[in-house]
Amino acid sequence: MSETLKIKEIFLSIQGEADTVGWPTVFVRLSGCPLRCRWCDTAYAFQGGERLTLDAVVARVREYGVRHVTVTGGEPLAQPACLALLTRLADAGFAVSLETSGALDVSGVDPRVVKVMDLKPPTSGEAARNRWENLAFLQPADQVKFVIADRGDYEWSREQLEAHRLAGRCQVLFSPVAGELAPRQLAEWILEDRLPVRFQLQLHKLLWGDQPGR
């Protein structure tokens, strides 16, 4: 029997985050997540979805005719067959990225896949779930993302940046929690401290708000 995954949605949009921001991208959103971050904006992916074979997922992705593919969730690595899907997409010639919470083991991710991995700050409510062992498996093309709600989150993120020498491992992204921290305020903190990080906003939200499937 072919491996299957529970898929919440597959859709074409503009990549709104990370270093491929702006590119037309197919998003494969897997169902389910073991975390419950306080400011999660994809809680609709926690349940439901359609069970598809890996062949069916790759075929749907091909139909859109673009190069970039992002596998996301929920937490995609909560489904073991996600690893096989990532490899299949890379084998098919796509530029593949994985959006992951940082709470699950990333050591098995195909090295051709760009990992965009969160480190959860205190206000997320899930900081205790950060899997620090994952840092050893980051490559220069990967990205660590901090989603920041207040000054305390910022200071915590700055401490992790320095303590783990993250800027020497990969790109580091700082992003404000929408509706909680003014983007300008976060940008000013970064500039004041001369942090070697990339400030980002969620471009897709500026374009379409919180509309699912965009």
Side-chain angles (χ1 to χ4, degrees):
M1 180 178 177
S2 299
E3 287 185 282
T4 63
L5 287 162
K6 199 166 190 182
I7 304 294
K8 186 65 177 181
E9 56 187 353
I10 300 174
F11 60 95
L12 178 67
S13 187
I14 295 294
Q15 175 59 263
E17 303 180 77
D19 71 347
T20 56
V21 63
W23 283 106
T25 300
V26 179
F27 289 82
V28 180
R29 188 180 304 283
L30 276 61
S31 300
C33 183
L35 280 71
R36 291 295 182 268
C37 297
R38 181 182 61 78
W39 33 250
C40 179
D41 58 3
T42 53
Y44 67 91
F46 290 168
Q47 298 175 335
E50 176 185 11
R51 189 157 290 280
L52 297 174
T53 65
L54 301 189
D55 286 343
V57 175
V58 174
R60 287 200 188 180
V61 170
R62 278 202 178 100
E63 289 173 0
Y64 287 101
V66 301
R67 178 169 179 262
H68 291 88
V69 182
T70 294
V71 177
T72 186
E75 169 48 71
L77 293 178
Q79 297 190 50
C82 176
L83 295 175
L85 174 63
L86 294 169
T87 294
R88 290 282 298 277
L89 290 168
D91 287 345
F94 294 105
V96 186
S97 63
L98 167 72
E99 294 183 347
T100 179
S101 66
L104 300 181
D105 184 7
V106 302
S107 64
V109 174
D110 192 298
R112 296 171 293 177
V113 173
V114 173
K115 298 180 286 293
V116 182
M117 189 185 84
D118 282 9
L119 284 177
K120 304 294 187 184
T123 67
S124 70
E126 294 285 16
R129 303 289 292 275
N130 288 320
R131 184 183 174 91
W132 298 101
E133 298 93 333
N134 280 337
L135 298 181
F137 301 104
L138 296 176
Q139 303 179 98
D142 295 333
Q143 294 133 66
V144 170
K145 181 174 66 173
F146 294 87
V147 181
I148 295 168
D150 59 19
R151 181 70 191 192
D153 277 358
Y154 172 78
E155 292 179 355
W156 181 90
S157 301
R158 184 182 60 192
E159 290 170 3
Q160 307 317 313
L161 175 72
E162 295 170 356
H164 298 283
R165 300 182 179 180
L166 294 177
R169 294 176 183 267
C170 62
Q171 293 188 62
V172 180
L173 313 172
F174 275 27
S175 179
V177 175
E180 295 196 26
L181 179 61
R184 177 174 172 175
Q185 179 65 81
L186 177 56
E188 289 176 348
W189 289 339
I190 291 169
L191 292 174
E192 286 169 6
D193 291 335
R194 309 292 196 270
L195 295 188
V197 303
R198 186 172 183 174
F199 171 82
Q200 65 168 14
L201 296 174
Q202 293 175 296
L203 179 60
H204 53 289
K205 287 191 175 182
L206 297 175
L207 294 171
W208 295 290
D210 287 322
Q211 180 180 344
R214 298 309 301 263

